[in-house]
Coordinates of all heavy atoms in Angstrom, one line a residue:
P1 N 0.8 -1.2 0.0 CA 0.0 0.0 0.0 C 0.8 1.3 0.0 O 0.4 2.3 -0.6 CB -0.8 -0.1 1.3 CG -0.1 -1.1 2.1 CD 0.6 -2.0 1.2
E2 N 2.0 1.3 0.6 CA 2.8 2.5 0.6 C 3.3 2.9 -0.8 O 3.5 4.0 -1.1 CB 4.1 2.2 1.5 CG 3.8 2.1 3.0 CD 3.3 3.4 3.6 OE1 3.8 4.5 3.2 OE2 2.4 3.4 4.4
H3 N 3.4 1.9 -1.7 CA 3.8 2.2 -3.0 C 2.6 2.8 -3.8 O 2.8 3.8 -4.5 CB 4.2 0.9 -3.8 CG 4.4 1.1 -5.2 ND1 5.5 1.7 -5.8 CD2 3.6 0.8 -6.3 CE1 5.4 1.8 -7.1 NE2 4.3 1.2 -7.4
Y4 N 1.4 2.3 -3.7 CA 0.3 2.7 -4.5 C -0.5 3.9 -3.9 O -1.2 4.6 -4.6 CB -0.6 1.5 -4.8 CG 0.0 0.5 -5.7 CD1 0.4 -0.7 -5.2 CD2 0.2 0.7 -7.0 CE1 1.0 -1.7 -6.0 CE2 0.8 -0.2 -7.8 CZ 1.2 -1.4 -7.3 OH 1.8 -2.4 -8.1
A5 N -0.5 4.0 -2.6 CA -1.4 5.0 -2.0 C -0.9 6.4 -2.4 O 0.3 6.6 -2.5 CB -1.3 4.9 -0.5
P6 N -1.8 7.3 -2.7 CA -1.3 8.6 -3.1 C -0.6 9.3 -2.0 O -0.9 9.1 -0.8 CB -2.6 9.4 -3.4 CG -3.7 8.6 -2.7 CD -3.2 7.2 -2.6
Q7 N 0.4 10.2 -2.4 CA 1.1 10.9 -1.4 C 0.2 11.9 -0.6 O -0.8 12.3 -1.2 CB 2.2 11.7 -2.1 CG 3.2 10.8 -2.8 CD 3.9 9.8 -1.9 OE1 4.7 10.2 -1.0 NE2 3.6 8.5 -2.1
Y8 N 0.5 12.2 0.6 CA -0.2 13.1 1.4 C -1.6 12.7 1.6 O -2.6 13.5 1.7 CB -0.1 14.6 0.9 CG 1.3 14.9 0.3 CD1 1.5 15.2 -1.0 CD2 2.4 14.8 1.1 CE1 2.7 15.5 -1.5 CE2 3.7 15.0 0.6 CZ 3.8 15.3 -0.7 OH 5.1 15.5 -1.2
G9 N -1.8 11.4 1.7 CA -3.2 10.8 2.0 C -4.2 11.1 0.9 O -5.4 10.9 1.1
G10 N -3.7 11.5 -0.3 CA -4.7 11.8 -1.4 C -5.2 13.2 -1.4 O -6.0 13.6 -2.2
Y11 N -4.7 14.0 -0.4 CA -5.1 15.4 -0.4 C -4.2 16.1 -1.5 O -3.2 15.6 -2.0 CB -4.8 16.1 1.0 CG -5.8 15.6 2.0 CD1 -5.4 14.7 2.9 CD2 -7.0 16.2 2.1 CE1 -6.3 14.2 3.9 CE2 -7.9 15.8 3.1 CZ -7.6 14.8 4.0 OH -8.5 14.4 4.9
C12 N -4.6 17.3 -1.9 CA -3.9 18.0 -2.9 C -2.4 18.2 -2.6 O -2.1 18.8 -1.5 CB -4.6 19.4 -3.1 SG -3.8 20.4 -4.4
A13 N -1.6 17.8 -3.5 CA -0.1 17.9 -3.3 C 0.3 19.4 -3.2 O 1.1 19.7 -2.4 CB 0.6 17.1 -4.3
Y14 N -0.3 20.2 -4.1 CA 0.1 21.6 -4.1 C -0.4 22.2 -2.8 O 0.3 23.0 -2.2 CB -0.5 22.3 -5.3 CG -0.3 23.8 -5.3 CD1 0.9 24.3 -5.7 CD2 -1.3 24.7 -4.9 CE1 1.1 25.7 -5.7 CE2 -1.1 26.0 -4.9 CZ 0.1 26.5 -5.3 OH 0.3 27.9 -5.2
G15 N -1.6 21.9 -2.4 CA -2.2 22.5 -1.1 C -1.3 22.1 0.1 O -1.0 22.9 0.9
T16 N -0.8 20.8 0.1 CA 0.1 20.4 1.1 C 1.4 21.2 1.1 O 1.9 21.7 2.1 CB 0.4 18.9 1.0 OG1 -0.8 18.2 1.1 CG2 1.3 18.4 2.1
A17 N 1.9 21.5 -0.1 CA 3.1 22.3 -0.2 C 2.9 23.7 0.3 O 3.8 24.4 0.9 CB 3.6 22.4 -1.7
E18 N 1.6 24.2 0.2 CA 1.2 25.5 0.6 C 0.8 25.5 2.1 O 0.6 26.6 2.7 CB 0.1 26.1 -0.2 CG 0.5 26.4 -1.6 CD 1.6 27.5 -1.7 OE1 1.3 28.6 -1.2 OE2 2.7 27.2 -2.3
G19 N 0.8 24.3 2.7 CA 0.5 24.2 4.2 C -0.9 23.9 4.6 O -1.3 24.2 5.7
H20 N -1.7 23.4 3.7 CA -3.1 23.1 4.1 C -3.7 21.9 3.3 O -3.2 21.6 2.2 CB -4.0 24.3 3.8 CG -4.1 24.8 2.4 ND1 -5.0 24.2 1.5 CD2 -3.3 25.6 1.7 CE1 -4.8 24.8 0.3 NE2 -3.8 25.6 0.4
K21 N -4.7 21.3 3.9 CA -5.4 20.2 3.2 C -6.4 20.8 2.2 O -7.0 21.8 2.5 CB -6.2 19.4 4.2 CG -5.3 18.4 4.9 CD -6.1 17.5 5.9 CE -5.2 16.6 6.6 NZ -6.0 15.8 7.6
A22 N -6.5 20.1 1.0 CA -7.5 20.5 0.0 C -8.0 19.2 -0.6 O -7.2 18.3 -0.8 CB -6.9 21.5 -1.0
P23 N -9.2 19.1 -1.0 CA -9.7 17.9 -1.8 C -9.0 17.8 -3.1 O -8.3 18.7 -3.6 CB -11.2 18.2 -1.9 CG -11.4 19.6 -1.8 CD -10.2 20.1 -0.9
T24 N -9.3 16.7 -3.8 CA -8.7 16.5 -5.1 C -9.7 16.0 -6.1 O -10.8 15.5 -5.7 CB -7.5 15.5 -5.0 OG1 -8.0 14.3 -4.4 CG2 -6.4 16.0 -4.2
Q25 N -9.3 16.2 -7.4 CA -10.1 15.6 -8.5 C -9.3 14.5 -9.2 O -8.1 14.7 -9.3 CB -10.5 16.7 -9.5 CG -11.5 17.7 -8.9 CD -11.9 18.8 -9.9 OE1 -11.4 18.9 -11.0 NE2 -12.8 19.7 -9.5
P26 N -9.9 13.4 -9.5 CA -9.2 12.3 -10.0 C -8.3 12.5 -11.3 O -7.3 11.9 -11.5 CB -10.3 11.2 -10.3 CG -11.5 12.0 -10.3 CD -11.4 13.2 -9.5
Q27 N -8.8 13.4 -12.2 CA -8.0 13.6 -13.4 C -6.8 14.5 -13.2 O -5.9 14.6 -14.1 CB -8.9 14.2 -14.5 CG -9.2 15.7 -14.4 CD -10.1 16.1 -13.3 OE1 -10.7 15.3 -12.6 NE2 -10.1 17.4 -13.1
A28 N -6.7 15.2 -12.1 CA -5.6 16.1 -11.8 C -4.5 15.4 -11.0 O -4.4 15.5 -9.8 CB -6.1 17.3 -11.0
F29 N -3.7 14.6 -11.8 CA -2.7 13.8 -11.1 C -1.4 13.8 -11.9 O -1.3 14.1 -13.1 CB -3.2 12.3 -11.0 CG -3.1 11.5 -12.3 CD1 -2.0 10.7 -12.5 CD2 -4.1 11.7 -13.3 CE1 -1.9 10.0 -13.7 CE2 -4.0 11.0 -14.5 CZ -2.9 10.1 -14.7
T30 N -0.4 13.4 -11.2 CA 0.9 13.1 -11.8 C 1.5 11.9 -11.0 O 1.2 11.7 -9.9 CB 1.9 14.3 -11.7 OG1 2.0 14.7 -10.3 CG2 1.5 15.4 -12.5
V31 N 2.3 11.1 -11.8 CA 3.1 10.1 -11.2 C 4.5 10.5 -11.4 O 5.0 10.7 -12.5 CB 2.8 8.7 -11.8 CG1 3.8 7.6 -11.2 CG2 1.4 8.3 -11.5
V32 N 5.3 10.7 -10.3 CA 6.6 11.2 -10.3 C 7.5 10.2 -9.4 O 7.1 10.0 -8.3 CB 6.7 12.6 -9.8 CG1 8.2 13.1 -9.8 CG2 5.8 13.6 -10.5
D33 N 8.6 9.7 -10.0 CA 9.4 8.8 -9.3 C 8.6 7.7 -8.7 O 8.9 7.3 -7.5 CB 10.3 9.5 -8.3 CG 11.3 10.5 -8.9 OD1 11.7 10.3 -10.0 OD2 11.6 11.5 -8.2

């Protein structure tokens, strides 16, 4: 599960970078490393 689970619990990665939780939409994704 650690491999497949989205980073930051599936909350918005950009929002997390900005310091807050935000919901996400399924088509707005990237797979990096």
Side-chain angles (χ1 to χ4, degrees):
E2 290 293 321
H3 171 75
Y4 292 109
Q7 300 301 293
Y8 321 120
Y11 288 100
C12 178
Y14 176 78
T16 301
E18 293 295 302
H20 62 88
K21 284 183 178 173
T24 54
Q25 293 182 354
Q27 81 288 350
F29 78 97
T30 53
V31 175
V32 179
D33 294 330

